[in-house]
Structures are given as structure tokens and as C-alpha cells.
């Protein structure tokens, strides 16, 4: 489980990245009880969550805000069945559901839920990479969360991008996006997250970054850009 550490530095974020990516290949190969791909995915996924928590901590600290006001929550958000939907069902099915309506709940969560003074204000989905099938699910999750928390800020933090367009051109001040991603967002406009990509260059499935020959360096300026985005979000809360 990741935690907030307000003494974290940019160098610590880079160390977290290097410690995992530079060693995940040997770790996966030596784990005889688990499939290689599963080990790689699990270690990368946990790494991005830890990096996100580190950057959140730095952003909050940079703004000089009280450390006691910001917390991470593991609580899922209960999404209740919309009763209007029952009008589309056969009467006997609808009646059965109504008799147990309180039990019809979907518990929704993204990777990090940030609370300020116990109010859920920022959700962060963390990915080693995202492509548009994943992005569709991310948009749906944020849409559901915003139904309960309309003022929620949403972020997708990814190491690499496989969304197409210019998401992987991390030096650009303004990201145009990709045709597919922007089309998906048009159906969930209130839930479109701020997409933060940390590594330059579109993900190439044939060139995984945990292979030494395809390793991508995480640069301080990339981490600092991400922190600035988080500072901007927190300053508006």
C-alpha cells in the first residue's frame, strides 16, 4: 500500500523508477511460481502508484499546505442503481430488484483517492502505459466517480503512452491528443482526465522499457512538469 511522504524529493521519484525498471527483468525471470508477464505488470503497476504518491506529496509540500489536511483513502465509492433504469425491465424483474434495491451497488475506485480535509478531491489512475481500450474504461470510472463527487479532479498518470497523437511528446506545452482518445472523451466530457506522460516516445510493444536495450531514462524535468500539474490542481481546491 502506498503512502504519502512529505519529505520526498524529485530524486526519490527517479530512484523509485530506476529501482524497479532496471531490475524487473531479473526479478520476473527468477520468480518460478508466477508467470513472467504477471510479475512485470504487477511491479510496474505498483511502481507508478508509488511514484504518483511521491509526486503528490512534493506538490502539496511545495504549496506550503498543512500536511495533516491531505490523506490517501482506500475507500471505494458506492455507485447506486438508477431507478429510472427499472422502467426498461420486465415488471417482475423490476419488482424483484426494487425489493432489494439497497443491495444493487457498484463499488468504484481508481488507483489513488486523495482527500483534502476528508473531502475526496483528486483521483489518479496509474498506468505503465495506456491505450484506448484502457482509456475507455478509465473515462467510465471517472464518470461514475464524478456522479457522486461532481467537483472531483481526475488525472491519468502513465509512464508511456499508447494513445496515439502527441501524448508522448512530453515537451509540448499544449497536448492536442489523438483522434480516438478525444472522440472517447466527447462522450464523457466531464470525466476527461488530465493526462500526464512521464517518458518521451510512443510505447512500442516490441521494445519494453524493462529490457536494458530499450530502457528509457526518467528525467528530472519530466517529474517536475508532472508536479507542476498537481500543484495547479491543488491550488484550485
Amino acid at each position: 500500500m502506498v503512502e504519502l511522504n512529505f519529505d520526498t524529493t524529485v530524486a526519490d521519484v527517479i530512484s523509485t523508477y530506476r529501482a524497479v525498471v532496471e531490475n524487473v527483468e531479473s526479478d520476473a525471470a527468477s520468480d518460478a511460481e508466477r508467470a513472467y508477464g504477471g510479475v512485470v505488470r504487477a511491479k510496474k503497476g505498483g511502481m507508478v502508484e508509488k511514484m504518483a504518491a511521491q509526486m503528490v506529496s512534493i506538490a502539496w509540500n511545495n504549496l506550503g499546505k498543512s500536511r495533516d489536511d491531505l490523506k490517501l483513502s482506500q475507500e471505494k465509492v458506492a455507485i447506486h442503481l438508477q431507478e429510472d433504469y427499472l422502467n426498461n425491465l420486465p415488471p417482475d424483474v423490476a419488482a424483484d430488484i426494487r425489493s432489494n434495491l439497497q443491495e444493487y451497488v457498484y463499488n468504484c475506485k481508481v488507483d489513488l483517492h486523495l482527500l483534502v480535509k476528508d473531502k475526496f478531491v483528486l483521483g489518479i489512475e496509474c498506468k505503465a502505459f495506456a491505450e484506448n481500450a484502457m482509456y475507455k474504461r478509465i473515462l467510465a470510472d471517472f464518470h461514475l466517480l464524478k456522479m457522486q463527487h461532481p467537483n472531483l479532479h481526475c488525472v491519468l498518470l502513465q509512464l508511456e503512452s499508447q494513445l496515439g497523437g502527441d501524448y508522448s511528446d512530453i515537451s509540448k506545452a499544449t497536448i492536442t491528443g489523438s483522434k480516438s482518445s478525444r472522440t472517447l472523451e466527447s462522450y464523457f466530457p466531464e470525466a476527461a482526465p488530465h493526462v500526464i506522460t512521464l517518458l518521451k516516445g510512443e510505447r512500442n510493444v516490441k521494445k519494453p522499457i524493462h529490457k536494458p536495450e530499450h530502457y528509457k531514462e526518467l528525467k528530472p524535468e519530466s517529474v517536475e512538469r508532472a508536479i507542476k500539474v498537481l500543484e495547479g490542481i491543488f491550488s484550485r481546491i
Side-chain angles (χ1 to χ4, degrees):
M1 185 175 69
V2 299
E3 297 179 348
L4 299 176
N5 179 352
F6 297 102
D7 296 318
T8 303
T9 66
V10 169
D12 292 328
V13 180
I14 294 172
S15 294
T16 297
Y17 170 77
R18 294 186 63 181
V20 173
V21 175
E22 292 180 5
N23 296 292
V24 70
E25 176 78 359
S26 58
D27 290 347
S30 64
D31 193 335
E33 296 183 1
R34 299 174 63 194
Y36 170 90
V39 174
V40 171
R41 285 190 295 274
K43 286 185 175 291
K44 282 186 176 178
M47 173 193 69
V48 181
E49 289 184 29
K50 181 176 179 179
M51 292 167 66
Q54 288 175 317
M55 288 186 282
V56 163
S57 300
I58 296 170
W60 190 257
N61 203 47
N62 285 350
L63 293 171
K65 293 178 177 286
S66 171
R67 296 180 176 189
D68 293 333
D69 288 344
L70 183 67
K71 297 177 182 177
L72 273 170
S73 172
Q74 299 302 316
E75 293 291 326
K76 296 182 179 181
V77 175
I79 309 297
H80 295 273
L81 184 144
Q82 298 189 92
E83 291 192 54
D84 287 350
Y85 163 72
L86 300 179
N87 297 329
N88 300 317
L89 299 179
D92 55 337
V93 174
D96 182 70
I97 292 174
R98 283 194 177 93
S99 68
N100 300 283
L101 194 59
Q102 72 281 358
E103 298 179 8
Y104 284 79
V105 174
Y106 174 74
N107 292 311
C108 188
K109 190 179 185 303
V110 292
D111 290 317
L112 298 185
H113 288 197
L114 280 304
L115 278 60
V116 173
K117 296 181 179 178
D118 296 320
K119 182 179 178 181
F120 184 23
V121 297
L122 172 61
I124 305 179
E125 182 70 13
C126 303
K127 294 291 184 186
F129 70 92
E131 41 78 37
N132 280 299
M134 296 179 191
Y135 196 51
K136 179 175 61 177
R137 195 271 300 164
I138 292 167
L139 286 167
D141 281 348
F142 279 134
H143 170 76
L144 290 171
L145 291 175
K146 283 182 73 72
M147 290 180 71
Q148 300 297 317
H149 300 276
N151 296 320
L152 182 71
H153 294 266
C154 306
V155 168
L156 165 61
L157 176 70
Q158 55 180 358
L159 288 181
E160 297 182 282
S161 177
Q162 200 176 333
L163 295 171
D166 59 355
Y167 289 105
S168 58
D169 190 353
I170 60 175
S171 62
K172 289 184 66 176
T174 302
I175 298 297
T176 303
S178 72
K179 295 180 177 65
S180 297
S181 298
R182 293 301 191 189
T183 299
L184 288 170
E185 288 179 4
S186 73
Y187 288 89
F188 304 90
E190 81 296 340
H194 193 114
V195 179
I196 301 174
T197 308
L198 294 174
L199 301 176
K200 185 176 181 180
E202 189 82 356
R203 176 184 183 256
N204 186 332
V205 66
K206 296 182 180 180
K207 296 181 178 181
I209 60 173
H210 60 271
K211 299 281 188 181
E213 62 270 27
H214 305 308
Y215 178 79
K216 290 183 180 181
E217 181 184 0
L218 176 60
K219 297 184 177 180
E221 53 266 33
S222 181
V223 177
E224 289 163 0
R225 277 194 295 268
I227 291 168
K228 285 295 182 186
V229 171
L230 295 169
E231 286 179 14
I233 291 172
F234 283 138
S235 67
R236 297 193 298 273
I237 292 171

